[in-house]
Amino acid sequence: MSKMETDLVKTRRSAQIANEIHAGLVARGEPERAKQQQAYMKSEMPFAGVTAPEVRKFCRAVYKENPPTDRTEWLTTADLIWRNARFREERHAAIELLAIPRWQKEWLHPDCLSQLHYMIQSGAWWDYVDALAINHVGPLLRDYEEEIKPILRNWITDPDLWVRRSAILAQLKFKTQTDLDFLHDAIQGSISDDNFFARKAIGWVLREYSRTDPDWVISYVKKYKDNLSGLSVREGLRLVKKTSTSPA
């Protein structure tokens, strides 16, 4: 079989998997739940009406039954599911495919960042963006720091809120491996943004890092209290015990 024929077969497989994901989610959906989900998420894209655990369980079963044969098929399948999605859960299914550990470990490379960037910008809502930033962009930053960090530094000042939020949240799980200079700069890039999702991201990342180094968080908030929103301060200090050095 020629390379062209092989690629065609893989593309057809990807399309079949995308169709199976769509049909399976529709079959499992509950219309009343779908209405409630769409209202809660304030989403223009409709829901099928499937709970998050059900989406994950169903998708993982499909991917186990139809594993991608290589990295190209892995990325192509996720891309087809994402771009052709008619229900919001389908895009979560695409994110789930890219998050399966054995494939992510082998196939998540720096050149995936452009696809993740596209998903972040086109998804443009917290449920998609946070999963992509924390579970996909984060591992890339951890494993390919020299290649990824300069790109994410450009994200810090990007006009797109969701790209900037991704830069803020990329280190959320890093704990003692957190690059404090990058964390500082990522927050600074959105510190003047009055959008709720920028302020919430700043508070969230400060709160999580306070589990590792509360003194750094207290010092940071004290230094920038006049610039930080009240929401960011409250969230950032939520886990910090009140001390004489607290800026509260």
Side-chain angles (χ1 to χ4, degrees):
M1 187 179 293
S2 68
K3 183 179 184 304
M4 182 179 296
E5 291 172 325
T6 300
D7 290 344
L8 182 59
V9 169
K10 290 178 181 178
T11 300
R12 286 174 176 168
R13 268 175 45 86
S14 294
Q16 288 170 356
I17 293 169
N19 289 336
E20 185 174 350
I21 290 292
H22 171 79
L25 290 173
V26 170
R28 289 163 173 76
E30 298 180 14
E32 189 57 38
R33 178 186 288 136
K35 293 178 184 178
Q36 295 170 0
Q37 289 173 314
Q38 187 170 5
Y40 172 74
M41 290 298 295
K42 301 177 181 178
S43 171
E44 292 184 8
M45 180 181 285
F47 280 80
V50 186
T51 66
E54 288 175 312
V55 171
R56 187 174 300 111
K57 181 180 179 181
F58 166 65
C59 291
R60 294 222 166 196
V62 172
Y63 301 145
K64 184 177 181 180
E65 187 72 21
N66 304 276
T69 57
D70 58 25
R71 182 171 178 269
T72 299
E73 188 177 342
W74 180 62
L75 294 171
T76 298
T77 303
D79 188 56
L80 280 174
I81 294 171
W82 182 274
R83 290 178 186 270
N84 295 329
R86 283 170 278 174
F87 295 101
R88 197 166 187 88
E89 293 97 330
E90 290 176 83
R91 288 190 161 179
H92 284 293
I95 295 172
E96 186 67 30
L97 174 57
L98 296 180
I100 293 177
R102 65 183 182 277
W103 298 328
Q104 187 180 92
K105 183 177 180 180
E106 184 176 0
W107 293 332
L108 187 66
H109 298 162
D111 60 1
C112 294
L113 193 60
S114 60
Q115 184 164 334
L116 297 176
H117 183 272
Y118 165 75
M119 294 168 75
I120 287 165
Q121 285 199 306
S122 56
W125 203 240
W126 63 266
D127 58 331
Y128 295 147
V129 171
D130 294 0
L132 290 164
I134 297 166
N135 300 322
H136 301 77
V137 177
L140 279 176
L141 178 59
R142 181 193 61 223
D143 296 339
Y144 302 96
E145 181 179 2
E146 290 186 5
E147 295 170 76
I148 297 298
K149 188 169 289 181
I151 300 173
L152 293 193
R153 283 202 166 276
N154 291 328
W155 289 22
I156 286 172
T157 55
D158 196 280
D160 190 311
L161 160 70
W162 301 105
V163 173
R164 284 186 280 112
R165 181 174 168 105
S166 297
I168 294 169
L169 297 179
Q171 294 192 102
L172 194 74
K173 294 183 178 180
F174 280 29
K175 298 182 180 179
T176 58
Q177 294 180 303
T178 301
D179 180 335
L180 293 177
D181 289 336
F182 183 85
L183 177 60
H184 172 279
D185 294 347
I187 294 173
Q188 293 301 115
S190 295
I191 201 169
S192 299
D193 193 329
D194 61 4
N195 186 285
F196 170 83
F197 291 103
R199 294 177 170 185
K200 187 73 173 181
I202 291 170
W204 186 12
V205 76
L206 288 172
R207 185 181 77 232
E208 285 304 302
Y209 190 62
S210 75
R211 300 175 189 272
T212 299
D213 190 347
D215 290 339
W216 186 91
V217 173
I218 290 171
S219 177
Y220 180 89
V221 173
K222 184 175 182 180
K223 182 176 181 179
Y224 293 107
K225 187 178 181 184
D226 291 340
N227 305 101
L228 290 163
S229 69
L231 172 62
S232 297
V233 172
R234 289 192 301 274
E235 287 292 311
L237 297 179
R238 180 180 293 183
L239 302 180
V240 177
K241 293 181 179 179
K242 298 294 185 180
T243 69
S244 60
T245 58
S246 172

mmCIF file of all heavy atoms in Angstrom, residues 130 132-139 141-142 148 152 155 164-174 182 186 205:
data_model
loop_
_atom_site.group_PDB
_atom_site.id
_atom_site.type_symbol
_atom_site.label_atom_id
_atom_site.label_comp_id
_atom_site.label_asym_id
_atom_site.label_seq_id
_atom_site.Cartn_x
_atom_site.Cartn_y
_atom_site.Cartn_z
ATOM 1 N N ASP A 130 -9.450 25.623 30.289
ATOM 2 C CA ASP A 130 -8.738 25.202 31.491
ATOM 3 C C ASP A 130 -8.171 23.795 31.345
ATOM 4 O O ASP A 130 -7.036 23.514 31.749
ATOM 5 C CB ASP A 130 -9.657 25.284 32.709
ATOM 6 C CG ASP A 130 -10.048 26.721 33.033
ATOM 7 O OD1 ASP A 130 -9.607 27.640 32.317
ATOM 8 O OD2 ASP A 130 -10.818 26.915 33.990
ATOM 9 N N LEU A 132 -7.350 22.305 28.532
ATOM 10 C CA LEU A 132 -6.249 22.363 27.561
ATOM 11 C C LEU A 132 -5.003 22.993 28.183
ATOM 12 O O LEU A 132 -3.883 22.514 27.992
ATOM 13 C CB LEU A 132 -6.683 23.150 26.328
ATOM 14 C CG LEU A 132 -7.725 22.459 25.450
ATOM 15 C CD1 LEU A 132 -8.368 23.460 24.491
ATOM 16 C CD2 LEU A 132 -7.091 21.307 24.663
ATOM 17 N N ALA A 133 -5.190 24.068 28.942
ATOM 18 C CA ALA A 133 -4.052 24.773 29.533
ATOM 19 C C ALA A 133 -3.343 23.919 30.577
ATOM 20 O O ALA A 133 -2.107 23.813 30.578
ATOM 21 C CB ALA A 133 -4.522 26.085 30.159
ATOM 22 N N ILE A 134 -4.114 23.306 31.460
ATOM 23 C CA ILE A 134 -3.531 22.588 32.595
ATOM 24 C C ILE A 134 -3.009 21.213 32.191
ATOM 25 O O ILE A 134 -1.916 20.810 32.596
ATOM 26 C CB ILE A 134 -4.578 22.454 33.724
ATOM 27 C CG1 ILE A 134 -4.972 23.850 34.240
ATOM 28 C CG2 ILE A 134 -4.030 21.600 34.873
ATOM 29 C CD1 ILE A 134 -6.221 23.845 35.101
ATOM 30 N N ASN A 135 -3.776 20.487 31.371
ATOM 31 C CA ASN A 135 -3.452 19.087 31.084
ATOM 32 C C ASN A 135 -2.734 18.852 29.761
ATOM 33 O O ASN A 135 -2.345 17.715 29.462
ATOM 34 C CB ASN A 135 -4.733 18.256 31.121
ATOM 35 C CG ASN A 135 -5.413 18.323 32.474
ATOM 36 O OD1 ASN A 135 -4.763 18.339 33.506
ATOM 37 N ND2 ASN A 135 -6.732 18.404 32.467
ATOM 38 N N HIS A 136 -2.574 19.901 28.961
ATOM 39 C CA HIS A 136 -1.914 19.742 27.669
ATOM 40 C C HIS A 136 -0.777 20.747 27.483
ATOM 41 O O HIS A 136 0.370 20.357 27.259
ATOM 42 C CB HIS A 136 -2.937 19.876 26.540
ATOM 43 C CG HIS A 136 -4.048 18.878 26.617
ATOM 44 N ND1 HIS A 136 -5.102 18.999 27.495
ATOM 45 C CD2 HIS A 136 -4.274 17.736 25.933
ATOM 46 C CE1 HIS A 136 -5.914 17.961 27.359
ATOM 47 N NE2 HIS A 136 -5.436 17.182 26.415
ATOM 48 N N VAL A 137 -1.093 22.035 27.598
ATOM 49 C CA VAL A 137 -0.039 23.049 27.500
ATOM 50 C C VAL A 137 0.935 22.893 28.665
ATOM 51 O O VAL A 137 2.155 22.989 28.483
ATOM 52 C CB VAL A 137 -0.644 24.462 27.483
ATOM 53 C CG1 VAL A 137 0.474 25.518 27.450
ATOM 54 C CG2 VAL A 137 -1.562 24.641 26.283
ATOM 55 N N GLY A 138 0.420 22.622 29.853
ATOM 56 C CA GLY A 138 1.279 22.442 31.028
ATOM 57 C C GLY A 138 2.322 21.354 30.847
ATOM 58 O O GLY A 138 3.519 21.597 31.057
ATOM 59 N N PRO A 139 1.928 20.139 30.454
ATOM 60 C CA PRO A 139 2.927 19.100 30.215
ATOM 61 C C PRO A 139 3.958 19.457 29.146
ATOM 62 O O PRO A 139 5.130 19.092 29.252
ATOM 63 C CB PRO A 139 2.080 17.897 29.780
ATOM 64 C CG PRO A 139 0.790 18.105 30.480
ATOM 65 C CD PRO A 139 0.566 19.595 30.442
ATOM 66 N N LEU A 141 5.045 22.499 28.527
ATOM 67 C CA LEU A 141 5.951 23.439 29.183
ATOM 68 C C LEU A 141 6.913 22.714 30.117
ATOM 69 O O LEU A 141 8.110 23.021 30.166
ATOM 70 C CB LEU A 141 5.135 24.472 29.959
ATOM 71 C CG LEU A 141 5.927 25.510 30.763
ATOM 72 C CD1 LEU A 141 6.851 26.315 29.865
ATOM 73 C CD2 LEU A 141 4.973 26.427 31.527
ATOM 74 N N ARG A 142 6.417 21.733 30.813
ATOM 75 C CA ARG A 142 7.250 20.962 31.744
ATOM 76 C C ARG A 142 8.317 20.144 31.004
ATOM 77 O O ARG A 142 9.487 20.119 31.411
ATOM 78 C CB ARG A 142 6.357 20.015 32.551
ATOM 79 C CG ARG A 142 7.104 19.161 33.577
ATOM 80 C CD ARG A 142 6.200 18.043 34.077
ATOM 81 N NE ARG A 142 5.805 17.158 32.978
ATOM 82 C CZ ARG A 142 4.563 16.701 32.811
ATOM 83 N NH1 ARG A 142 3.591 17.059 33.635
ATOM 84 N NH2 ARG A 142 4.289 15.891 31.794
ATOM 85 N N ILE A 148 9.074 25.690 24.523
ATOM 86 C CA ILE A 148 7.709 26.151 24.761
ATOM 87 C C ILE A 148 7.652 27.490 25.487
ATOM 88 O O ILE A 148 6.803 28.340 25.175
ATOM 89 C CB ILE A 148 6.918 25.094 25.554
ATOM 90 C CG1 ILE A 148 6.802 23.802 24.740
ATOM 91 C CG2 ILE A 148 5.537 25.605 25.945
ATOM 92 C CD1 ILE A 148 6.063 23.949 23.432
ATOM 93 N N LEU A 152 5.059 30.729 25.048
ATOM 94 C CA LEU A 152 4.077 31.094 26.070
ATOM 95 C C LEU A 152 4.311 32.505 26.591
ATOM 96 O O LEU A 152 3.363 33.169 27.045
ATOM 97 C CB LEU A 152 4.104 30.092 27.231
ATOM 98 C CG LEU A 152 3.636 28.674 26.924
ATOM 99 C CD1 LEU A 152 3.413 27.907 28.224
ATOM 100 C CD2 LEU A 152 2.376 28.655 26.082
ATOM 101 N N TRP A 155 2.203 34.506 24.661
ATOM 102 C CA TRP A 155 0.803 34.340 25.056
ATOM 103 C C TRP A 155 0.439 35.280 26.213
ATOM 104 O O TRP A 155 -0.715 35.693 26.337
ATOM 105 C CB TRP A 155 0.534 32.899 25.485
ATOM 106 C CG TRP A 155 0.535 31.883 24.386
ATOM 107 C CD1 TRP A 155 1.138 31.985 23.163
ATOM 108 C CD2 TRP A 155 -0.097 30.599 24.399
ATOM 109 N NE1 TRP A 155 0.937 30.853 22.422
ATOM 110 C CE2 TRP A 155 0.180 29.986 23.153
ATOM 111 C CE3 TRP A 155 -0.854 29.910 25.338
ATOM 112 C CZ2 TRP A 155 -0.283 28.703 22.837
ATOM 113 C CZ3 TRP A 155 -1.317 28.635 25.034
ATOM 114 C CH2 TRP A 155 -1.039 28.041 23.796
ATOM 115 N N ARG A 164 -4.232 34.251 27.116
ATOM 116 C CA ARG A 164 -3.550 34.742 28.322
ATOM 117 C C ARG A 164 -3.910 33.888 29.541
ATOM 118 O O ARG A 164 -3.046 33.578 30.365
ATOM 119 C CB ARG A 164 -3.915 36.206 28.580
ATOM 120 C CG ARG A 164 -3.200 37.173 27.652
ATOM 121 C CD ARG A 164 -3.470 38.621 28.016
ATOM 122 N NE ARG A 164 -4.752 39.076 27.514
ATOM 123 C CZ ARG A 164 -5.805 39.378 28.258
ATOM 124 N NH1 ARG A 164 -5.725 39.264 29.595
ATOM 125 N NH2 ARG A 164 -6.942 39.783 27.723
ATOM 126 N N ARG A 165 -5.170 33.504 29.658
ATOM 127 C CA ARG A 165 -5.579 32.638 30.778
ATOM 128 C C ARG A 165 -4.811 31.317 30.728
ATOM 129 O O ARG A 165 -4.422 30.771 31.767
ATOM 130 C CB ARG A 165 -7.088 32.394 30.727
ATOM 131 C CG ARG A 165 -7.614 31.525 31.882
ATOM 132 C CD ARG A 165 -9.133 31.451 31.830
ATOM 133 N NE ARG A 165 -9.678 30.430 32.710
ATOM 134 C CZ ARG A 165 -10.291 30.644 33.878
ATOM 135 N NH1 ARG A 165 -10.423 31.863 34.342
ATOM 136 N NH2 ARG A 165 -10.774 29.638 34.588
ATOM 137 N N SER A 166 -4.584 30.799 29.525
ATOM 138 C CA SER A 166 -3.845 29.549 29.379
ATOM 139 C C SER A 166 -2.411 29.694 29.859
ATOM 140 O O SER A 166 -1.858 28.775 30.486
ATOM 141 C CB SER A 166 -3.866 29.103 27.916
ATOM 142 O OG SER A 166 -5.184 28.832 27.485
ATOM 143 N N ALA A 167 -1.791 30.839 29.583
ATOM 144 C CA ALA A 167 -0.424 31.078 30.055
ATOM 145 C C ALA A 167 -0.384 31.143 31.582
ATOM 146 O O ALA A 167 0.555 30.638 32.218
ATOM 147 C CB ALA A 167 0.126 32.364 29.447
ATOM 148 N N ILE A 168 -1.407 31.739 32.172
ATOM 149 C CA ILE A 168 -1.471 31.838 33.638
ATOM 150 C C ILE A 168 -1.613 30.455 34.267
ATOM 151 O O ILE A 168 -0.947 30.135 35.263
ATOM 152 C CB ILE A 168 -2.651 32.735 34.068
ATOM 153 C CG1 ILE A 168 -2.423 34.188 33.633
ATOM 154 C CG2 ILE A 168 -2.857 32.672 35.589
ATOM 155 C CD1 ILE A 168 -3.660 35.067 33.779
ATOM 156 N N LEU A 169 -2.468 29.618 33.686
ATOM 157 C CA LEU A 169 -2.816 28.337 34.305
ATOM 158 C C LEU A 169 -1.891 27.181 33.929
ATOM 159 O O LEU A 169 -1.986 26.107 34.507
ATOM 160 C CB LEU A 169 -4.252 27.955 33.941
ATOM 161 C CG LEU A 169 -5.350 28.898 34.443
ATOM 162 C CD1 LEU A 169 -6.713 28.401 33.992
ATOM 163 C CD2 LEU A 169 -5.303 29.035 35.965
ATOM 164 N N ALA A 170 -0.992 27.403 32.981
ATOM 165 C CA ALA A 170 -0.150 26.301 32.496
ATOM 166 C C ALA A 170 0.663 25.646 33.610
ATOM 167 O O ALA A 170 0.929 24.443 33.575
ATOM 168 C CB ALA A 170 0.780 26.801 31.396
ATOM 169 N N GLN A 171 1.063 26.422 34.614
ATOM 170 C CA GLN A 171 1.889 25.878 35.701
ATOM 171 C C GLN A 171 1.067 25.482 36.930
ATOM 172 O O GLN A 171 1.640 25.220 37.991
ATOM 173 C CB GLN A 171 2.937 26.895 36.131
ATOM 174 C CG GLN A 171 4.001 27.221 35.106
ATOM 175 C CD GLN A 171 5.144 28.007 35.724
ATOM 176 O OE1 GLN A 171 6.217 27.473 36.014
ATOM 177 N NE2 GLN A 171 4.920 29.296 35.941
ATOM 178 N N LEU A 172 -0.227 25.385 36.802
ATOM 179 C CA LEU A 172 -1.081 25.193 37.976
ATOM 180 C C LEU A 172 -0.695 23.963 38.805
ATOM 181 O O LEU A 172 -0.816 23.973 40.028
ATOM 182 C CB LEU A 172 -2.546 25.071 37.538
ATOM 183 C CG LEU A 172 -3.568 25.192 38.671
ATOM 184 C CD1 LEU A 172 -3.704 26.639 39.136
ATOM 185 C CD2 LEU A 172 -4.933 24.665 38.227
ATOM 186 N N LYS A 173 -0.223 22.900 38.157
ATOM 187 C CA LYS A 173 0.112 21.661 38.860
ATOM 188 C C LYS A 173 1.611 21.500 39.121
ATOM 189 O O LYS A 173 2.062 20.432 39.536
ATOM 190 C CB LYS A 173 -0.386 20.459 38.055
ATOM 191 C CG LYS A 173 -1.896 20.366 37.930
ATOM 192 C CD LYS A 173 -2.304 19.110 37.175
ATOM 193 C CE LYS A 173 -3.815 18.959 37.088
ATOM 194 N NZ LYS A 173 -4.206 17.721 36.347
ATOM 195 N N PHE A 174 2.380 22.551 38.917
ATOM 196 C CA PHE A 174 3.842 22.414 38.960
ATOM 197 C C PHE A 174 4.424 22.381 40.373
ATOM 198 O O PHE A 174 5.540 21.930 40.582
ATOM 199 C CB PHE A 174 4.498 23.537 38.165
ATOM 200 C CG PHE A 174 4.510 23.312 36.675
ATOM 201 C CD1 PHE A 174 3.529 22.561 36.054
ATOM 202 C CD2 PHE A 174 5.507 23.866 35.895
ATOM 203 C CE1 PHE A 174 3.539 22.357 34.685
ATOM 204 C CE2 PHE A 174 5.533 23.664 34.522
ATOM 205 C CZ PHE A 174 4.543 22.911 33.923
ATOM 206 N N PHE A 182 8.283 33.302 35.597
ATOM 207 C CA PHE A 182 7.240 33.144 34.582
ATOM 208 C C PHE A 182 5.861 33.355 35.199
ATOM 209 O O PHE A 182 4.991 34.007 34.604
ATOM 210 C CB PHE A 182 7.328 31.765 33.931
ATOM 211 C CG PHE A 182 6.338 31.567 32.822
ATOM 212 C CD1 PHE A 182 6.629 31.985 31.538
ATOM 213 C CD2 PHE A 182 5.101 30.976 33.058
ATOM 214 C CE1 PHE A 182 5.710 31.830 30.503
ATOM 215 C CE2 PHE A 182 4.180 30.807 32.042
ATOM 216 C CZ PHE A 182 4.486 31.237 30.753
ATOM 217 N N ALA A 186 3.296 36.086 33.952
ATOM 218 C CA ALA A 186 2.007 35.647 33.422
ATOM 219 C C ALA A 186 0.859 36.387 34.106
ATOM 220 O O ALA A 186 -0.112 36.794 33.456
ATOM 221 C CB ALA A 186 1.847 34.136 33.598
ATOM 222 N N VAL A 205 -4.460 30.557 40.411
ATOM 223 C CA VAL A 205 -3.062 30.129 40.356
ATOM 224 C C VAL A 205 -2.315 30.539 41.623
ATOM 225 O O VAL A 205 -1.453 29.797 42.114
ATOM 226 C CB VAL A 205 -2.371 30.656 39.076
ATOM 227 C CG1 VAL A 205 -2.041 32.140 39.183
ATOM 228 C CG2 VAL A 205 -1.124 29.857 38.753
#
